[in-house]
């Protein structure tokens, strides 16, 4: 069987967009997902865009036996892109053990199996949450890691340490740790996008659901921050730009071009936008009026963070290209499709 890339969480939001980019650049993909927060119908969307339906295995990455059997079945998995994880910050505060078990056990299982089967490379989904509130903006990869504000954030920090320590101890695989800023938007085809279960916790799905009339009103969490308009600032990156960076980081390792066995990259646009700027831009580009009100701060929110993406720009030769206008429009087209 031809060598494949195993994508854990490949039916999820960022995973599905990355599978599309992988297939479009000629990689053979196997998705493993437990479908706890995604739907098998995503495979149809991927097939429509790329003309190829990826192999799919329903399994949980915390199940060592099932994952061992999967590696054995496919024989030649040359790399793993590991998205599968729980990601709701609030839920992680209520159910910390679930988060530690899920996010850490799955990573440890994969690293052990990568050693057992001689898998060459790992791409790992980390988050700008590891920087907390940075002292210097834009934040680069050398900034100090701040104490995590939630069990979810802590799982990302510990995961980075697990990968680092295993490579220090002589593991043969290479790894690329990608620290995402705020991924938003959907594939331009509107065949795949974000499918939040229940009430969205993140800003953009809440905005699009409010615009579509599914939610009464958007709450803007705080206008008394030390920012120009008082609302929080983030670096919003189009999910397709983010997905493309995974392919570049992967190919760099597989082509033997990475300088070190472990590399870390920020994935952001380098531009910060406030919540109120997002609301204003969304209304301007879609022509839809958004009901919103200012409410109190959300506990645990960082005031402002945006990326210094220079390392990824220079070393990977990758740059986020989409404008925020196009990105918000893609999110809106996707929302209209799924709510019609
Ligand atoms: C959050 C997590 C981050 C995680 C990411 C992906 C926190 C502190 N951080 O990022 O670790 O990697 O989700 O799941 O939770 N906002 C509103 N109204 C809303 C929703 C959000 O005003 O209804 C504001 C928030 O206060 C924030 C911005 O919009 O300023 C973005 O929020 P969100 O989309 O939840 O992402 P983060 O909090 O940045």
């Amino acid at each position: 069987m031809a060598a494949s890339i195993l994508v854990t969480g490949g039916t999820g939001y960022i995973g599905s967009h990355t599978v599309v980019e992988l297939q479009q650049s000629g990689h053979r993909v196997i998705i493993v997902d437990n479908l706890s927060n995604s739907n098998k119908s995503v495979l149809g969307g991927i097939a429509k865009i790329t003309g190829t339906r990826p192999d799919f295995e329903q399994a949980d990455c915390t199940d060592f036996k099932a994952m061992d059997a999967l590696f054995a079945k496919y024989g030649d998995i040359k790399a793993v892109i590991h998205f599968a994880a729980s990601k709701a910050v609030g839920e992680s505060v209520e159910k910390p053990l679930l988060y530690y078990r899920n996010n850490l056990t799955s990573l440890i299982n994969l690293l052990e199996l990568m050693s057992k089967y001689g898998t060459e490379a790992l791409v790992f989904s980390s988050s700008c949450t590891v920087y907390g509130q940075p002292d210097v903006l834009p934040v680069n990869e050398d900034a100090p890691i701040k104490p995590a504000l939630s069990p979810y954030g802590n799982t990302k920090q510990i995961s980075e340490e697990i990968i680092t320590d295993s490579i220090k101890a002589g593991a043969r695989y290479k790894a690329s740790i990608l620290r995402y800023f705020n991924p938003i938007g959907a594939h331009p085809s509107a065949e795949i996008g974000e499918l939040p279960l229940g009430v969205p916790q993140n800003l953009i799905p809440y905005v699009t659901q409010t615009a579509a009339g599914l939610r009464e009103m958007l709450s803007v969490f705080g206008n008394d921050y030390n920012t120009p308009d008082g609302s929080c600032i983030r670096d919003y990156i189009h999910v397709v730009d983010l997905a493309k960076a995974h392919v570049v980081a992967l190919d760099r390792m597989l082509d033997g071009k990475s300088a070190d066995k472990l590399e870390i990259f920020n994935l952001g646009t380098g531009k910060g936008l406030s919540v109120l700027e997002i609301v204003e831009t969304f209304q301007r580009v879609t022509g839809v009026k958004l009901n919103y009100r200012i409410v109190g701060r959300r506990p645990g929110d960082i005031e402002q963070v945006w990326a210094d993406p220079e390392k990824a720009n220079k070393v990977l030769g990758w740059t986020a290209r989409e404008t925020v206008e196009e990105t918000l429009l893609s999110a809106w087209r996707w929302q209209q499709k799924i709510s019609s």
Side-chain angles (χ1 to χ4, degrees), residues 89 127 129 152 182 201-203 219 221 232 234 298 301:
V89 175
S127 164
T129 190
Y152 160 77
N182 286 56
Q201 306 297 310
N202 295 109
L203 178 63
S219 297
F221 297 139
C232 290
R234 296 287 183 273
R298 181 171 70 176
D301 265 342

Side-chain angles (χ1 to χ4, degrees), residues 87-96 99 150-152 201 298-299:
K87 62 170 185 180
V89 175
E91 185 188 47
S92 82
V93 176
E94 284 154 30
K95 300 175 185 165
Y99 272 66
S150 69
Y152 160 77
Q201 306 297 310
R298 181 171 70 176

Side-chain angles (χ1 to χ4, degrees), residues 20-316:
V20 165
E21 297 303 320
L22 284 167
Q23 294 195 153
Q24 286 181 335
S25 62
H27 288 289
R28 211 181 102 85
V29 174
I30 306 157
I31 292 178
V32 58
D33 204 300
N34 67 2
L35 300 179
S36 63
N37 193 21
S38 62
N39 196 298
K40 234 178 140 176
S41 64
V42 169
L43 299 172
I46 294 171
K48 256 195 171 164
I49 300 168
T50 64
T52 309
R53 201 179 171 89
D55 280 316
F56 175 77
E57 300 282 341
Q58 185 171 352
D60 193 313
C61 296
T62 63
D63 182 343
F64 186 86
K65 273 193 183 156
M67 294 303 291
D68 195 355
L70 191 155
F71 272 76
K73 174 177 167 185
Y74 287 93
D76 192 7
I77 293 176
K78 64 178 171 184
V80 175
I81 304 188
H82 182 39
F83 294 104
S86 305
K87 62 170 185 180
V89 175
E91 185 188 47
S92 82
V93 176
E94 284 154 30
K95 300 175 185 165
L97 299 185
L98 180 82
Y99 272 66
Y100 287 115
R101 179 190 291 282
N102 227 357
N103 293 4
L104 301 182
T105 312
S106 58
L107 175 66
I108 294 167
N109 283 349
L110 285 166
L111 294 177
E112 287 183 348
L113 290 166
M114 286 175 64
S115 287
K116 179 173 172 183
Y117 288 91
T119 308
E120 291 170 50
L122 172 77
V123 179
F124 179 72
S125 308
S126 189
S127 164
C128 68
T129 190
V130 302
Y131 299 122
Q133 177 59 62
D135 301 321
V136 179
L137 286 167
V139 62
N140 69 30
E141 293 82 353
D142 297 326
I145 301 299
K146 296 274 178 77
L149 292 174
S150 69
Y152 160 77
N154 210 15
T155 67
K156 291 298 176 194
Q157 296 193 1
I158 298 170
S159 294
E160 289 198 1
E161 289 172 3
I162 290 172
I163 296 165
T164 307
D165 287 345
S166 71
I167 287 181
K168 262 192 209 155
R172 291 219 305 276
Y173 44 78
K174 296 171 186 169
S176 193
I177 291 175
L178 305 182
R179 293 179 178 156
Y180 308 156
F181 284 70
N182 286 56
I184 63 167
H187 196 270
S189 64
E191 295 293 346
I192 54 171
E194 191 168 8
L195 278 171
L197 281 183
V199 182
Q201 306 297 310
N202 295 109
L203 178 63
I204 303 308
Y206 211 106
V207 164
T208 58
Q209 288 195 9
T210 306
L214 302 172
R215 309 270 159 212
E216 209 174 309
M217 180 132 20
L218 169 75
S219 297
V220 172
F221 297 139
N223 68 346
D224 57 352
Y225 285 98
N226 187 22
T227 60
D229 66 23
S231 64
C232 290
I233 296 177
R234 296 287 183 273
D235 184 334
Y236 295 93
I237 173 170
H238 196 300
V239 66
V240 173
D241 275 332
L242 190 83
K244 289 181 197 290
H246 291 72
V247 181
V248 181
L250 178 77
D251 287 344
R252 176 176 163 82
M253 290 188 283
L254 295 178
D255 296 345
K257 291 195 182 127
S258 40
D260 295 306
K261 287 191 76 182
L262 173 66
E263 293 185 314
I264 300 180
F265 297 101
N266 279 346
L267 297 183
T269 66
K271 286 184 218 82
L273 282 177
S274 73
V275 178
L276 290 171
E277 284 174 315
I278 288 284
V279 168
E280 181 276 319
T281 309
F282 182 86
Q283 297 190 116
R284 177 164 50 79
V285 298
T286 62
V288 180
K289 201 182 151 342
L290 208 57
N291 285 328
Y292 74 92
R293 59 181 171 170
I294 310 287
V295 300
R297 295 181 177 196
R298 181 171 70 176
D301 265 342
I302 301 296
E303 181 172 273
Q304 45 187 323
V305 62
W306 65 94
D308 177 347
E310 198 183 307
K311 185 177 174 193
N313 297 166
K314 281 201 171 147
V315 176
L316 294 179

